[in-house]
């Protein structure tokens, strides 16, 4: 054997991984465990020979085994538990399974099944994932971060569990959201899972049912608010950036409206942070609108937009629509006048009591109205967007009126989970006589029209946005994430929709292409960051796409065979 010949050649060219762990420690570490895919040589060198059955399975055979078990189960919650258990046992295999059919598995590990899993998180709880920080840990968060075994963390998803999807306050049960979100960072964007950290900030819950639930895993008292809450958040942000650096991406997830905007405005220019409910939802919605313009054959500023809902999602979308309209050449004031909103008290108009500053921006001169059907007839929108989590809010009459007012009405039922959707795809197509341009937050089955044409409803899932944004931000070391990042992301997503996709009713690229879409988003974000001198990863890579591809996580197993080689015989002679 030649001197310096690497072990790589003896193990099918797989990258070599070195670990000091031996025996059961290897099998119980999901980052390292390959189950029965360990070779005999690996088993002997890692002291696990005899701890596994005398069988050697390739990764494809393991995927097949998981799929057979998956198909055997009858409930989505059981399937969720199966996949999360796999993630706890064998991380590479978990992501290999997810990426083998992302369209099939995404609804299980994220919306809509993750909502059910959060509601029953105490029952589904098997092994802790992530970091649980409570209001009683103030003054000690830096110490708690040292408990996390990884020293390099590049992305954190944090929640306080107060507004989980459309389900409300789920307290500590909301941890399922950061866990699921970060799984998609990896499956869709290729962000390395060991560089991700899910965090739950437990300040209590106002959900009486949870406080009485014997399986509830969080603090059993009412939510603590005010200065103590703000101090906890400030300390958390400072502790994270002190340990992991100012470039550590911190994504806020499922905070209540009262805190979401406030915290975004407070931290956005100080830390590398964004709020997916506000900015991610806005980006994916605007991407759908930009794609829809290729069907309506006009500009975004030609449309009148009506929102059912005026929370963080609605306001985030509205603000990004204003930005997109400005880019078309109209003034900010003119763009704002094209947007109307309806909240729980009716149409948002000037002079109405108790409007937040965010809502006041979209309040126009108009009489007060409460009924959505009447409002649609009066405002005559060409775009109707539902983000209030009121299932069935888009009635038959409203859909018929939208069809009467517009040749191609744009109707987005974006609320999650499926039970909260404002209308189904079938209802939209049926009551608009197949003319409706539809997108939803949760997946719907294809719909066949009386004409025989089959339409595939577009799912405006935030997973088109946050994985690519995260990959781009991490790769170029972006220190602050401006609104322009999300408009750029929307434009990239819309550009990936083919004419064939549009003819099929899709406003988004097929989910099977999501890794490709995420890479395109990351490259564009990095290009603009270097152009605007906001990147911090230097020197600038000559080939940005190749550089970002090199950062992407591989789901293929690595080799643990020791890197052994020989020296020249003369050099190895024993000297007496």
């Amino acid at each position: 054997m030649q001197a310096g010949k690497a072990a790589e050649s003896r193990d099918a060219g797989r990258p070599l991984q070195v670990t000091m762990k031996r025996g059961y420690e290897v099998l119980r570490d999901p980052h390292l465990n390959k189950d029965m895919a360990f070779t005999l040589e690996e088993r002997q060198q890692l002291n696990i020979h005899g701890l596994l059955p005398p069988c050697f399975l390739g990764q494809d055979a393991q995927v097949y085994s998981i799929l057979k078990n998956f198909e055997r189960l009858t409930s989505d919650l059981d399937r969720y538990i199966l996949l999360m258990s796999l993630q706890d046992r064998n991380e590479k295999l978990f992501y290999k399974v997810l990426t083998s059919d992302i369209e099939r598995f995404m609804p299980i590990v994220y919306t809509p099944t993750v909502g059910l899993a959060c509601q029953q998180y105490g029952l589904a709880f098997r092994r802790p994932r992530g970091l649980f920080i409570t209001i009683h840990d103030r003054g000690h968060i830096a110490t708690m971060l040292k408990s996390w075994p990884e020293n390099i963390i590049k992305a954190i998803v944090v929640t306080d569990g107060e507004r989980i999807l459309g389900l409300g306050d789920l307290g500590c049960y909301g941890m399922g959201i950061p866990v699921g979100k970060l799984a998609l960072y990896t499956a869709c964007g290729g962000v390395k899972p060991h560089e991700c950290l899910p965090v739950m900030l437990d300040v209590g819950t106002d959900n009486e049912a949870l406080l009485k639930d014997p399986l509830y895993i969080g603090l059993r008292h009412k939510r603590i608010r005010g200065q103590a809450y703000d101090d906890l958040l400030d300390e958390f942000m400072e502790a994270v950036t002190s340990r992991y650096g100012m470039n550590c991406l911190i994504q806020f997830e499922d905070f209540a409206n009262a805190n979401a905007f406030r915290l975004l405005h407070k931290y956005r220019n100080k830390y590398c942070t964004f709020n997916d409910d506000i900015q991610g939802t806005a980006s994916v919605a605007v991407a759908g609108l930009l794609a829809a313009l290729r069907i309506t054959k006009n500009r975004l500023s030609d449309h009148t937009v009506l929102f059912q809902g005026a929370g963080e999602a609605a306001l985030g979308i509205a603000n990004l629509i204003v930005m997109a309209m400005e880019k078309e050449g109209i003034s900010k004031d003119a763009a704002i006048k094209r947007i109307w909103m309806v909240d729980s008290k009716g149409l948002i108009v000037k002079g109405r009591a108790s409007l937040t500053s965010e809502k006041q921006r979209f309040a126009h001169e108009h009489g007060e109205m409460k009924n959505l059907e009447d409002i649609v007839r009066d405002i005559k929108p060409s775009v109707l967007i539902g983000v209030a989590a009121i299932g069935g809010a888009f009635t038959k009459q409203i859909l018929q009126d939208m069809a009467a007012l517009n040749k191609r009405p744009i109707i987005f039922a974006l609320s999650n989970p499926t039970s909260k959707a404002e209308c189904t795809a079938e209802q939209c197509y049926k009551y608009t006589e197949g003319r409706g341009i539809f997108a939803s937050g949760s997946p719907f089955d294809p719909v066949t029209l009386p004409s025989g044409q089959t339409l595939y409803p577009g799912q405006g899932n935030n997973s088109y946005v946050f994985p690519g944004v995260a990959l781009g931000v991490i790769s170029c070391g972006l220190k602050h994430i401006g609104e322009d990042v999300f408009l750029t992301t929307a434009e990239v997503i819309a550009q990936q929709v083919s004419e064939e996709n549009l003819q099929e009713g899709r406003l988004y690229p097929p989910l099977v292409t999501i890794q490709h879409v995420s890479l395109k988003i990351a490259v564009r974000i990095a290009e603009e960051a270097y152009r605007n001198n906001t990147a911090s990863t230097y020197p600038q890579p000559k080939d940005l796409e190749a550089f970002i591809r090199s950062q992407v996580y591989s789901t293929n197993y690595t080799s643990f065979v020791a890197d052994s080689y020989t020296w020249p015989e003369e050099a190895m002679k024993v000297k007496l």
Side-chain angles (χ1 to χ4, degrees):
M1 188 175 179
Q2 286 184 340
K5 188 129 174 144
E8 183 177 300
S9 63
R10 295 171 20 225
D11 202 30
R14 287 184 294 168
L16 181 67
Q17 185 167 353
V18 177
T19 178
M20 296 295 105
K21 292 184 177 182
R22 291 295 182 271
Y24 267 128
E25 272 193 298
V26 174
L27 299 178
R28 289 172 177 169
D29 186 335
H31 299 320
L32 303 176
N33 185 28
K34 301 197 291 187
D35 293 316
M36 283 185 282
F38 285 106
T39 65
L40 180 61
E41 194 174 0
E42 286 175 323
R43 296 180 192 202
Q44 291 169 344
Q45 291 187 10
L46 294 171
N47 296 342
I48 57 174
H49 186 48
L51 302 181
L52 291 166
C55 174
F56 304 93
L57 291 179
Q59 201 173 22
D60 289 343
Q62 291 177 315
V63 170
Y64 176 76
S65 174
I66 296 298
L67 292 179
K68 297 303 287 184
N69 277 292
F70 184 89
E71 290 162 359
R72 186 173 54 83
L73 300 173
T74 56
S75 84
D76 283 344
L77 181 60
D78 286 339
R79 291 174 179 139
Y80 171 88
I81 293 171
L82 170 74
L83 292 176
M84 290 301 105
S85 298
L86 176 61
Q87 187 181 19
D88 289 335
R89 188 183 87 239
N90 183 335
E91 193 169 72
K92 291 257 185 191
L93 183 57
F94 169 74
Y95 287 110
K96 178 67 83 172
V97 169
L98 249 61
T99 54
S100 71
D101 192 346
I102 195 74
E103 206 159 4
R104 182 182 191 184
F105 294 114
M106 187 186 290
I108 303 297
V109 298
Y110 203 59
T111 56
T113 306
V114 74
L116 175 62
C118 285
Q119 288 176 302
Q120 303 190 36
Y121 206 68
L123 188 65
F125 189 79
R126 295 292 184 274
R127 175 176 168 175
R129 293 195 68 86
L131 205 57
F132 293 83
I133 298 171
T134 77
I135 191 76
H136 308 309
D137 296 315
R138 279 176 298 158
H140 306 281
I141 295 177
T143 304
M144 295 182 73
L145 288 175
K146 292 175 184 176
S147 299
W148 191 250
E150 302 292 340
N151 292 321
I152 298 174
I153 294 295
K154 295 186 177 177
I156 289 174
V157 175
V158 59
T159 186
D160 69 355
E162 190 170 6
R163 193 206 62 86
I164 298 298
L165 302 175
L167 303 171
D169 187 349
L170 295 184
C172 216
Y173 278 1
M175 183 53 134
I177 297 295
V179 169
K181 209 90 178 185
L182 286 171
L184 297 186
Y185 266 52
T186 302
C188 303
V191 179
K192 297 179 179 72
H194 53 276
E195 294 178 352
C196 297
L197 173 59
V199 176
M200 162 57 65
L201 297 179
D202 189 355
V203 298
T205 178
D206 292 337
N207 187 325
E208 290 293 340
L210 291 183
L211 293 173
K212 295 173 184 175
D213 181 355
L215 297 178
Y216 182 57
I217 61 173
L219 295 179
R220 293 176 181 271
H221 58 64
K222 293 283 189 180
R223 283 188 174 273
I224 292 175
R225 305 182 185 276
Q227 193 59 49
Y229 178 90
D230 285 359
D231 290 346
L232 177 75
L233 267 292
D234 286 344
E235 184 185 345
F236 170 72
M237 299 296 281
E238 289 168 13
V240 163
T241 50
S242 175
R243 179 159 175 77
Y244 303 123
M246 292 302 294
N247 283 7
C248 181
L249 170 62
I250 305 169
Q251 179 192 319
F252 280 72
E253 185 70 24
D254 287 347
F255 282 72
N257 292 356
N259 290 320
F261 279 103
R262 186 174 64 85
L263 295 174
L264 178 61
H265 294 321
K266 183 177 183 179
Y267 296 133
R268 68 188 310 169
N269 295 320
K270 187 176 180 183
Y271 299 103
C272 179
T273 186
F274 74 98
N275 183 304
D276 187 57
D277 304 300
I278 298 171
Q279 296 162 292
T281 302
S283 187
V284 79
V286 170
L289 290 176
L290 294 177
L293 295 180
R294 288 160 59 188
I295 299 173
T296 59
K297 308 293 185 187
N298 55 9
R299 303 192 314 161
L300 189 56
S301 50
D302 294 327
H303 289 269
T304 299
V305 184
L306 176 64
F307 285 89
Q308 162 65 11
E312 55 197 86
L315 291 162
I317 298 168
N319 286 323
L320 201 62
I321 289 174
V322 169
M323 194 172 172
M325 286 184 177
E326 283 185 276
K327 197 169 181 179
E328 291 181 341
I330 72 168
S331 70
K332 182 175 289 187
D333 287 343
I336 289 172
K337 287 176 182 176
R338 310 291 297 175
I339 298 170
W340 296 78
M341 291 192 171
V342 177
D343 63 9
S344 58
K345 296 176 183 175
L347 188 64
I348 292 177
V349 295
K350 285 188 176 178
R352 214 189 78 180
S354 305
L355 289 178
T356 64
S357 58
E358 288 86 4
K359 290 182 181 181
Q360 282 175 355
R361 187 182 190 203
F362 297 98
H364 307 305
E365 293 287 355
H366 195 284
E368 291 193 20
M369 301 179 73
K370 291 195 174 182
N371 183 277
L372 185 60
E373 290 183 5
D374 294 337
I375 293 169
V376 168
R377 290 194 197 100
D378 190 81
I379 301 299
K380 297 179 173 57
S382 52
V383 179
L384 182 61
I385 300 176
V387 278
I390 301 173
F394 295 169
T395 62
K396 175 182 177 181
Q397 187 61 55
I398 287 173
L399 296 171
Q400 288 176 335
D401 287 343
M402 285 294 293
L405 292 165
N406 305 280
K407 183 180 178 181
R408 298 301 304 269
I410 300 172
I411 296 163
F412 286 7
L414 299 180
S415 293
N416 283 313
T418 312
S419 60
K420 302 289 185 180
E422 287 76 13
C423 69
T424 65
E426 186 176 10
Q427 288 167 340
C428 174
Y429 295 136
K430 180 179 179 180
Y431 298 130
T432 63
E433 300 171 343
R435 292 185 283 115
I437 302 171
F438 179 81
S440 59
S442 289
F444 283 104
D445 292 330
V447 176
T448 301
L449 303 178
S451 64
Q453 182 187 7
T454 299
L455 295 175
Y456 298 82
Q459 185 190 355
N461 196 311
N462 290 22
S463 55
Y464 282 108
V465 176
F466 61 80
V469 168
L471 181 62
V473 167
I474 291 169
S475 297
C476 71
L478 198 61
K479 290 188 176 179
H480 305 296
I481 305 172
E483 290 301 316
D484 56 316
V485 167
F486 296 98
L487 184 54
T488 295
T489 299
E491 291 168 350
V492 172
I493 295 168
Q495 288 162 5
Q496 300 307 307
V497 182
S498 68
E499 288 301 321
E500 184 183 351
N501 294 152
L502 292 174
Q503 289 168 12
E504 293 175 340
R506 302 181 195 266
L507 295 182
Y508 298 95
L511 273 175
V512 293
T513 67
I514 198 163
Q515 291 169 309
H516 172 76
V517 174
S518 294
L519 181 66
K520 291 288 186 186
I521 291 169
V523 171
R524 182 76 73 81
I525 288 171
E527 286 173 347
E528 294 193 0
Y530 282 109
R531 191 181 307 123
N532 299 330
N533 294 317
T534 53
S536 65
T537 300
Y538 282 98
Q540 179 180 345
K542 290 181 180 178
D543 186 335
L544 265 179
E545 184 168 336
F547 171 72
I548 292 174
R549 281 186 187 277
S550 73
Q551 307 298 304
V552 169
Y553 175 73
S554 172
T555 60
N556 296 324
Y557 288 141
T558 50
S559 171
F560 291 94
V561 174
D563 184 11
S564 59
Y565 50 91
T566 63
W567 285 3
E569 286 187 21
E570 184 64 30
M572 292 190 297
K573 277 186 179 178
V574 177
K575 309 297 181 185
L576 296 178

